[in-house]
Amino acid sequence: IAAGLADDCNGNGVPDPCEYAGISTEGETGPFGDEHPLVVTIADAGHAVSDLRLSIAVRADLDAINEAVQAKVGDTVVTTLWITSGQACPEQPQVQTVVVPMGTVNAAIDGSGGDLVVRVQSVGPVSVKECPDSFAFVAIDYVGDLAPADCLGNGTWDGCDIAADPSLD
């Protein structure tokens, strides 16, 4: 990176000021169950340069062997959670973290025209009536590249792309 003026702490060849420090967003739904999914969208998401981390918490009617929770990134099911051992509406929500590979994240962003869409939905007969205070919550974290830009804010392209870095000549 030119004359050591910009750090490249993650070693990807893109100056750190030209990257997102990370994207973090979260969402929560009310009654969670049949036909009550949680959908969180990050508009105009930059391509990931790291894996994506989903932190999912659910309190719901999950007491039958065929009841579960699925998480999707785009149209891809990335995990099925809490195929239960007989708990319906537990006092504390069930919590799990899922790591989604960077390639899956980027394919989902490309497939949606630039948005990152994460969906948490029930599978099987998960009834909102049995657990009226049910909910699903998801926190989403990832690091992504910015499109070529004026990272220094001086009105001109300032070489966020490694091809424009004179120290690499």
Side-chain angles (χ1 to χ4, degrees):
I1 307 300
L5 298 176
D7 290 330
D8 180 21
C9 297
N10 60 4
N12 69 348
V14 179
D16 291 342
C18 304
E19 294 183 299
Y20 290 110
I23 293 292
S24 181
T25 191
E26 53 192 43
E28 182 174 351
T29 185
F32 179 76
D34 301 331
E35 300 179 25
H36 293 270
L38 168 59
V39 180
V40 178
T41 301
I42 300 173
D44 301 320
H47 271 160
V49 295
S50 70
D51 293 340
L52 174 140
R53 178 184 298 275
L54 301 176
S55 298
I56 302 168
V58 176
R59 176 175 150 73
D61 160 36
L62 294 169
D63 62 344
I65 193 71
N66 59 344
E67 292 174 334
V69 175
Q70 271 186 344
K72 288 181 159 183
V73 173
D75 293 327
T76 302
V77 175
V78 294
T79 191
T80 299
L81 307 170
W82 305 297
I83 299 174
T84 67
S85 58
Q87 281 196 320
C89 310
E91 190 172 317
Q92 296 299 317
Q94 297 178 70
V95 180
Q96 189 158 346
T97 298
V98 179
V99 176
V100 182
M102 178 177 64
T104 301
V105 176
N106 289 337
I109 291 169
D110 290 341
S112 70
D115 296 341
L116 176 59
V117 180
V118 174
R119 180 181 184 95
V120 178
Q121 64 191 41
S122 62
V123 177
V126 179
S127 170
V128 297
K129 293 178 181 172
E130 185 173 334
C131 185
D133 60 348
S134 65
F135 69 90
F137 173 87
V138 63
I140 303 166
D141 294 293
Y142 84 105
V143 177
D145 279 335
L146 285 170
D150 175 17
C151 298
L152 299 176
N154 62 3
T156 61
W157 169 314
D158 52 19
C160 294
D161 187 329
I162 61 171
D165 187 342
S167 73
L168 299 175
D169 292 338

